[in-house]
Amino acid sequence: MPVIVALSVGVSAYAAFQVPVWCGAVNRDGRTYCRNNAYGGLMGCSKRQHRWQKIKMIVLRSKVGNVSRSVFPTAKEKFNGALAVGGLLSAVAAVIVPVVTGG
């Protein structure tokens, strides 16, 4: 069980912070999204403003559509997001199932 939890958390952390993706932060024109390289679905590119913008969009959630387009601009980022969520669900299941079943 500890191995499953560790691996699940590792997959989630890798998908959230290390997978190479596009930045996806909103550009100054307000209509297009940054296509610079970034690492992880939650991180922005090398521009400091883009990193803060993505964190603010996730925390404040002003508009759900803008958050999803910013964090997951392409199918690759959507897959990485699903991978991160799946890893977290796997870690939670690895902890909760033995507690509930008593084993």
Side-chain angles (χ1 to χ4, degrees):
M1 180 181 74
V3 173
I4 294 172
V5 173
L7 290 174
S8 298
V9 170
V11 165
S12 297
Y14 177 73
F17 299 108
Q18 288 297 316
V19 173
V21 294
W22 287 341
C23 174
V26 179
N27 288 323
R28 290 181 187 239
D29 63 6
R31 296 181 314 221
T32 59
Y33 297 94
C34 177
R35 293 183 59 150
N36 290 338
N37 293 329
Y39 289 100
L42 300 178
M43 303 301 290
C45 62
S46 61
K47 297 177 182 174
R48 183 175 34 182
Q49 292 173 347
H50 286 188
R51 285 188 295 238
W52 283 112
Q53 181 185 29
K54 287 189 76 172
I55 291 171
K56 283 194 311 190
M57 285 185 75
I58 291 168
V59 173
L60 297 178
R61 295 184 184 203
S62 59
K63 296 179 183 174
V64 176
N66 287 342
V67 172
S68 66
R69 277 192 298 272
S70 175
V71 176
F72 309 115
T74 65
K76 181 180 177 182
E77 281 82 7
K78 289 177 181 140
F79 174 74
N80 292 332
L83 184 67
V85 170
L88 283 176
L89 291 176
S90 176
V92 169
V95 171
I96 291 177
V97 169
V99 171
V100 171
T101 60

